[in-house]
Amino acid sequence: MGAQKSIHAGKAKIDVNVDFTHKLCASLRLPSLRNSGSPLSLLIGSLCIKHPNLFGGSEKLDVSWDKGLYDSNILVAYRRPRPQWVAQQCFVMQHSLSPEIGVHGIPVDNFSRSGSGGVNLSRLSVGLDLNEPASSKWSSTTSIKFENVRLLNDDGRSITRDLDGFPVTCSGNAHDSMVVLKQESQYAKANDRSFSRFTMQIEQGIPVLSKWLIFNRFKCVASKGIKVGPAFLLTRHAMLLTGGSIVGDMAPYQAFAIGGLGSVRGYGEGAVGSGRSCLVANTELTFPLIVFCCIQSKMLEGSLFLDCGTDLGSGRLVPGNPALRQGKPGSGVGLGYGLRFKSPIGHFQVDYAINAFHQKTLYFGITNLAS
């Protein structure tokens, strides 16, 4: 349902990918966010331009553009060669536009879906990424970036307040500006029987100017998986724990959104709640399915899962208290089952979940697509 083409122009390589599969996937789990009569609005695809030797000194330039149904992302990255034992530098400029559903989305169908709240997030960032040399188990990335965040309505016009008249920025103006220092550390350990992963992110808003945001945002993700059972029916049990908190200046769009695929399944994106703090736990049991004369398939797996999440009572601390105004419960539990299909072109995931309000939701996603 798509097309890919690589073009070589001198030393530059241009990768063009137009894919309609994402349109089908999104339509199964997202309600219509806006009405558009333009045929281009239905086009899903990506464009990537790579130059391996821009100025003759092995400098690399990557330019990519990704367009979804309702979002787009433009990324320019420039890298200069450095010795492997020092941090690798990358100059990055990025602009993204996406619906702000997690915080301002309106829950519908017993919180199983989230509709548009008329707020879209336009973010421009410019800065530097530093990738520290990785050890056998640890890796670290540090970045410092200037960010300008502007809120738009569904017609693309700048707004300062949401549909209920509450401010959507921290400054009260049409945009927020900030310099963000971010540190991310990752630990990974795996063998034939188990795996462990831990990620910690710390973001600090630096007060270069008095009107710029000052905050500290912390998030950690820990996961543990083990293989159990006999060799004939080898299952995997994995548990994921996510927590975070933010102190200092805060705009509503910076809140932790709880609910949806990757959070608490059975709910729409952000339909459980949004707060200054969050805690989400996911546990999943996967097992190979037996097909055709008791032959065990390594490509097709079944899964059983249980998700739960809470804003720890911090929803009322978000400016404007959007979660309370939209009637979000603040905590939720979802359970269900699904299928996992692994193929050379990508990993396909189908989940069927039910939430605490007995509302059922179907999720369909594609990850790790080959480029």
Side-chain angles (χ1 to χ4, degrees):
M1 301 179 67
Q4 296 182 9
K5 179 68 175 179
S6 293
I7 304 173
H8 293 271
K11 293 183 178 180
K13 180 183 179 183
I14 303 176
D15 295 327
V16 181
N17 175 37
V18 179
D19 188 357
F20 293 96
T21 307
H22 283 73
K23 179 178 185 298
L24 175 62
C25 299
S27 65
L28 290 176
R29 59 186 180 91
L30 282 178
S32 178
L33 300 178
R34 60 174 67 93
N35 295 321
S36 176
S38 172
L40 293 179
S41 65
L42 301 179
L43 183 64
I44 311 298
S46 60
L47 173 67
C48 182
I49 302 175
K50 298 182 179 182
H51 200 300
N53 192 16
L54 187 61
F55 299 115
S58 298
E59 300 91 349
K60 296 181 180 180
L61 176 67
D62 296 340
V63 180
S64 64
W65 173 60
D66 297 290
K67 182 185 180 302
L69 276 177
Y70 314 110
D71 58 348
S72 65
N73 183 70
I74 300 174
L75 176 66
V76 179
Y78 171 74
R79 300 174 179 86
R80 295 183 59 186
R82 304 190 73 190
Q84 294 183 354
W85 59 85
V86 299
Q88 302 298 306
Q89 297 180 354
C90 180
F91 173 79
V92 178
M93 181 170 60
Q94 184 175 14
H95 178 266
S96 62
L97 175 64
S98 61
E100 210 304 285
I101 299 296
V103 176
H104 293 97
I106 301 174
V108 295
D109 294 340
N110 285 331
F111 302 93
S112 65
R113 295 188 301 147
S114 294
S116 172
V119 179
N120 300 272
L121 196 66
S122 174
R123 186 188 301 268
L124 173 66
S125 64
V126 180
L128 188 67
D129 287 341
L130 297 174
N131 295 307
E132 299 292 338
S135 65
S136 59
K137 299 177 182 178
W138 283 95
S139 62
S140 178
T141 301
T142 303
S143 66
I144 182 167
K145 295 179 181 179
F146 166 78
E147 295 187 3
N148 182 273
V149 179
R150 185 178 297 271
L151 283 303
L152 311 173
N153 61 16
D154 289 342
D155 295 325
R157 299 178 181 177
S158 296
I159 57 174
T160 59
R161 297 182 179 274
D162 60 20
L163 297 178
D164 294 327
F166 288 84
V168 292
T169 61
C170 181
S171 63
N173 300 321
H175 64 87
D176 285 331
S177 297
M178 64 200 86
V179 172
V180 181
L181 177 64
K182 180 178 178 180
Q183 172 73 36
E184 180 173 341
S185 299
Q186 295 182 344
Y187 170 85
K189 179 182 178 181
N191 54 44
D192 294 337
R193 302 294 302 179
S194 66
F195 72 87
S196 300
R197 298 191 188 98
F198 177 77
T199 301
M200 181 175 63
Q201 297 177 357
I202 299 177
E203 298 181 32
Q204 177 67 56
I206 301 175
V208 177
L209 296 180
S210 59
K211 294 183 179 180
W212 290 8
L213 272 63
I214 309 172
F215 63 91
N216 184 275
R217 194 174 196 266
F218 170 82
K219 181 180 180 180
C220 65
V221 180
S223 60
K224 175 70 175 179
I226 57 173
K227 292 183 178 180
V228 295
F232 178 69
L233 184 59
L234 193 62
T235 64
R236 293 195 308 271
H237 178 268
M239 185 169 184
L240 178 67
L241 186 65
T242 305
S245 185
I246 181 172
V247 296
D249 296 338
M250 179 186 181
Y253 58 80
Q254 292 179 303
F256 292 96
I258 309 167
L261 187 64
S263 179
V264 181
R265 285 163 286 190
Y267 293 82
E269 182 180 351
V272 173
S274 54
R276 276 186 175 263
S277 302
C278 75
L279 185 64
V280 177
N282 312 94
T283 182
E284 183 166 314
L285 180 70
T286 60
F287 47 87
L289 295 181
I290 300 175
V291 295
F292 301 117
C293 300
C294 298
I295 298 176
Q296 183 173 303
S297 173
K298 294 182 179 180
M299 298 178 62
L300 186 62
E301 294 181 331
S303 68
L304 301 173
F305 58 84
L306 173 66
D307 302 333
C308 56
T310 174
D311 63 7
L312 301 173
S314 64
R316 57 185 175 83
L317 303 178
V318 176
N321 200 349
L324 177 63
R325 288 188 280 120
Q326 295 153 7
K328 297 180 180 180
S331 61
V333 177
L335 57 89
Y337 55 89
L339 294 175
R340 310 287 183 265
F341 179 72
K342 301 178 181 179
S343 72
I345 64 171
H347 294 180
F348 297 79
Q349 174 179 340
V350 179
D351 286 332
Y352 184 77
I354 183 172
N355 63 23
F357 299 92
H358 305 288
Q359 187 68 38
K360 305 174 181 64
T361 307
L362 179 67
Y363 301 92
F364 180 54
I366 304 177
T367 59
N368 299 329
L369 284 176
S371 59

